[in-house]
C-alpha cells in the first residue's frame, strides 16, 4: 500500500509539475507581452477588483472542496450537494457584486470600475461548475488530466488577451482573458470527468461536510483578506499606477511560488490525508518532502533576487524599473513559502480543522496588524511587513506540528537551515561579483545564473546534502532505465 502511494505521489508530483510549469509558463509569456501593450494602470485596475472576487470565491466553495478531499470515502450525494451549493452561492455573490459595483467604483474614485467588475465577476458563475470535477480528479490523483486542463485554459486566455490588447481594448483584454480561461477549464473538466450530478441534495451531507469545511471557509476567508490586503491598501491610498508596479512584481514572484506551492499542495494534501492514521509514516514522508522541496525552492528565490533588475527589464521593459525592489523583497519571503504550505497541509490532512482555524486566524491577525503598521512607512514598509509575517508563520506552523507529529522548529531548521544559509551566501557572493563586472546587464544575468547554479551544486556535492543525493539517485535511475530501453 505504501509503495503504491509512493508511486502515485511521485507520478502525481511529476504531472502536477508539468501542469503548473506549463500553465505558469504560458501566463508568464502572456504577462510579458501584455506588459508592453498595456499600461501599469490597466493592471492596477484588475488588482483593485480582484480582492472582491477572491473573497466571493471563498464563500462560493465554502471550504467544501477541502472537506471532500479530507473525507476518506465521500458519497455521490456528498458530491451533488456540494455541486448545487456552489452554483447557488455563485449566483448570490455575483448579484451582490453586480449591485455593489457602483459603490466600489466610488470607493476607489474610479467610476469606470463599475462595468469592469460586473463583467469580470462572471468568472464566479463559470467556476462554480468545476469544483466537484476538479476535486474528484485531485482526490484520485489524476494529475495528468488536471495538467492538460490547466495548460489549455491558460493558452486560451493568453490568445484572447494578446489579441484584444493588440486591438486596443486595454483593461478589457485582461477581463476577457479571465472569462475565456475559466470557460475552457470548465468545459475540459466536464469532458475529462465521468461524474454527472443527479437531482439530489442532502442537508445532512452539507452539515457533515461543513463540520470540517466550515472551519476551512473561515480560515480561507482570513487568508484571502490577508493576501489581498496589500493590493487593497495600495489601490485606495496610492495610485493605480503604483498598484500596477506592485501587482506586476507580485505576479512575477508568484509564478515560481505558486508553481511550487500548488504542486506541493495538490499532491501532499491527499497523500498526507491517506496517512492520517499512521503518524510515524506521515512524519517520515513529511521530512523527505520538506528537504526535497526546500532544496530547490530556497536557491531559486535567492537567485531571482540577484538577477531581479535585468530580469524585469528584459521581461517587461525599462518602464517597469520601479517593480525591481518590490520583487526582491517579495522573493525573500517566498524562500520559505512552500515550507509553510507543507506544515499547514499536515494540520489539514489530520482533520484538525479547529486547530487549523485557530492557527490560520492567529497568523493572519498578526499579519494584518504588521501590514497596517508597515503601511505607515510607505509601500516599502508594507512589503517588509509581509516578509516578516512569512517567517513568523513558520515558527507558528512548526510549533503546532511539534505538538501534532513531533516535527517542530528545531527539527525543521536542522533539516533545511543549511539549504537556506547556502542559498543566501551563494546569492550574496554572486551579486557582489556582478557589481565589478562591467558588461551588458543581460549577459551578466546569464553569467550570474550559471555561476550561482554551479556553486550551489558544487557545495551540495562536497557537503553531501541529503536532497542533492536523492535527486542524483533519481536521475541516475532514470538514465539507466532510459539506456536499458534503447
Amino acid at each position: 500500500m505504501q509503495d503504491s502511494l509512493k508511486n502515485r505521489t511521485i507520478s502525481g508530483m511529476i504531472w502536477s509539475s508539468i501542469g503548473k510549469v506549463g500553465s505558469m509558463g504560458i501566463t508568464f509569456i502572456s504577462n510579458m507581452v501584455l506588459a508592453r501593450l498595456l499600461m501599469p494602470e490597466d493592471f492596477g485596475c484588475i488588482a483593485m477588483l480582484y480582492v472582491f472576487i477572491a473573497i466571493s470565491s471563498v464563500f462560493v466553495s465554502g471550504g467544501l472542496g477541502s472537506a471532500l478531499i479530507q473525507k476518506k470515502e465521500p458519497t455521490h450525494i456528498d458530491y451533488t450537494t456540494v455541486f448545487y451549493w456552489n452554483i447557488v452561492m455563485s449566483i448570490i455573490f455575483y448579484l451582490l457584486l453586480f449591485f455593489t459595483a457602483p459603490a466600489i467604483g466610488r470607493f476607489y474614485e474610479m467610476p469606470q470600475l463599475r462595468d469592469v467588475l460586473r463583467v469580470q465577476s462572471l468568472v464566479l458563475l463559470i467556476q462554480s461548475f468545476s469544483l466537484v470535477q476538479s476535486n474528484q480528479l485531485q482526490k484520485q490523483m489524476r494529475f495528468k488530466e488536471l495538467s492538460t486542463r490547466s495548460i489549455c485554459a491558460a493558452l486560451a486566455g493568453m490568445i484572447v488577451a494578446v489579441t484584444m490588447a493588440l486591438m486596443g481594448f486595454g483593461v478589457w483584454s485582461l477581463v476577457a482573458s479571465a472569462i475565456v480561461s475559466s470557460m475552457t477549464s470548465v468545459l475540459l473538466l466536464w469532458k475529462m470527468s465521468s461524474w454527472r450530478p443527479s437531482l439530489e441534495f442532502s442537508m445532512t451531507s452539507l452539515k457533515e461536510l461543513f463540520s470540517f469545511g466550515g472551519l476551512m471557509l473561515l480560515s480561507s476567508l482570513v487568508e484571502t483578506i490577508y493576501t489581498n490586503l496589500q493590493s487593497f491598501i495600495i489601490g485606495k491610498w496610492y495610485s493605480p499606477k503604483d498598484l500596477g508596479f506592485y501587482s506586476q512584481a507580485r505576479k512575477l514572484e508568484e509564478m515560481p511560488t505558486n508553481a511550487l506551492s500548488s504542486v506541493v499542495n495538490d499532491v501532499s494534501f491527499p497523500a498526507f490525508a491517506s496517512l492520517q492514521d499512521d503518524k510515524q509514516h506521515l512524519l517520515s514522508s513529511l521530512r523527505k518532502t520538506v528537504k526535497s522541496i526546500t532544496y530547490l525552492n530556497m536557491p531559486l528565490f535567492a537567485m531571482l533576487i540577484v538577477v531581479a533588475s535585468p530580469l524585469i527589464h528584459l521581461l517587461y521593459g525599462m518602464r517597469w524599473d520601479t517593480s525591481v525592489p518590490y520583487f526582491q523583497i517579495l522573493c525573500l519571503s517566498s524562500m520559505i513559502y512552500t515550507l509553510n504550505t507543507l506544515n499547514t497541509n499536515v494540520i489539514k490532512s489530520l482533520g484538525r480543522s479547529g486547530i487549523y482555524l485557530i492557527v490560520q486566524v492567529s497568523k493572519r491577525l498578526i499579519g494584518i496588524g504588521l501590514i497596517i503598521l508597515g503601511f505607515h512607512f510607505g509601500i516599502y514598509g508594507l512589503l517588509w511587513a509581509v516578509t516578516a509575517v512569512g517567517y513568523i508563520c513558520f515558527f507558528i506552523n512548526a510549533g503546532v506540528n511539534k505538538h501534532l507529529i513531533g516535527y517542530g522548529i528545531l527539527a525543521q531548521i536542522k533539516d533545511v537551515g543549511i539549504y537556506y544559509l547556502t542559498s543566501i551566501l551563494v546569492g550574496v557572493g554572486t551579486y557582489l561579483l556582478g557589481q565589478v563586472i562591467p558588461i551588458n546587464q543581460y549577459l551578466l544575468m546569464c553569467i550570474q545564473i550559471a555561476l550561482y547554479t554551479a556553486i550551489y551544486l558544487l557545495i551540495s556535492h562536497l557537503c553531501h546534502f541529503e536532497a542533492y543525493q536523492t535527486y542524483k539517485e533519481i536521475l541516475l535511475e532514470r538514465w539507466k532505465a532510459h539506456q536499458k530501453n534503447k
Side-chain angles (χ1 to χ4, degrees), residues 474-486:
I474 292 174
L475 290 174
L476 286 175
E477 288 177 3
R478 294 293 173 90
W479 172 254
K480 289 178 181 178
H482 175 70
Q483 293 296 105
K484 185 178 180 180
N485 293 330
K486 273 190 173 182

Side-chain angles (χ1 to χ4, degrees), residues 30-38 43 248 316 319-320:
S30 174
N31 200 41
M32 183 173 65
V33 175
L34 292 173
R36 287 173 162 78
L37 298 175
L38 303 177
F43 293 97
Q248 285 297 85
Y316 300 151
R319 69 178 177 181
W320 292 92

